[in-house]
Amino acid sequence: MTAARARAHVVTRSIDGPHPAVGSPADRVHEPHGTITRARCMRRRRPAPMDDTLRAVRAGAAEPAGPACATGVLRPDMVPFGAPDGDVYGRAADAVRAADFLSVVGTSPRVEPAAAVCATAVDRGAASAIVDTEAASYDDFASDVPRGDVEPVVPRVVAAPEAGGPPVG
């Protein structure tokens, strides 16, 4: 594994937890749109595992508060479009500001708040690749804009020298 890959972070629009599920380190996955894998206390904003919350409800708890919540009012830890979670988005922006290379895959550059990481990379001057089947607003700022389905294209982008991988032949 290259040093660049060892430092890789994932900023994702996915809300169903696919990146940690396939082994991405949880402290390097940033979910500015939230996730359905956690509940969040409406008062204290503390997270709780969604599985624990659902188990308590199924067992008959009217207010499955637990130690994470003072009120018992929990909701899925998701963020409406255009209203990023400041803490999560801040950590994602910090990771992008520290990056030498940004790979944007799929429709991310068209949906806020995840699209804003593209602006952060542009402001920083980081090299970037935007992989999608359609044009996006940040394409003109990207170092590379390969078009096509992500499955065959992403491995080539990740292996490119700008991304810290071996030369593509």
Side-chain angles (χ1 to χ4, degrees):
M1 177 183 300
T2 68
R5 286 193 184 100
R7 295 186 313 266
H9 286 253
V10 175
V11 180
T12 180
R13 286 184 1 182
S14 297
I15 59 168
D16 54 352
H19 300 286
V22 297
S24 296
D27 64 332
R28 294 180 177 265
V29 175
H30 311 283
E31 300 166 315
H33 293 275
T35 178
I36 60 172
T37 64
R38 286 187 308 264
R40 183 169 293 272
C41 175
M42 295 291 289
R43 182 173 182 190
R44 291 186 179 166
R45 295 193 34 85
R46 291 185 182 159
M50 183 61 83
D51 288 344
D52 293 351
T53 303
L54 293 175
R55 202 172 3 266
V57 169
R58 287 184 192 114
E63 296 183 352
C69 194
T71 64
V73 180
L74 297 163
R75 64 170 181 82
D77 191 11
M78 296 182 36
V79 179
F81 285 112
D85 178 317
D87 294 339
V88 174
Y89 183 77
R91 288 190 304 274
D94 288 346
V96 170
R97 275 191 282 282
D100 296 320
F101 182 81
L102 175 68
S103 175
V104 181
V105 180
T107 59
S108 296
R110 292 195 294 272
V111 179
E112 296 293 347
V117 300
C118 296
T120 302
V122 167
D123 291 346
R124 158 93 173 47
S128 61
I130 297 177
V131 181
D132 201 352
T133 56
E134 301 175 20
S137 59
Y138 287 96
D139 286 359
D140 292 341
F141 301 102
S143 311
D144 190 13
V145 185
R147 292 278 175 248
D149 290 328
V150 298
E151 192 171 343
V153 175
V154 168
R156 292 195 311 259
V157 170
V158 171
E162 303 83 35
V168 178

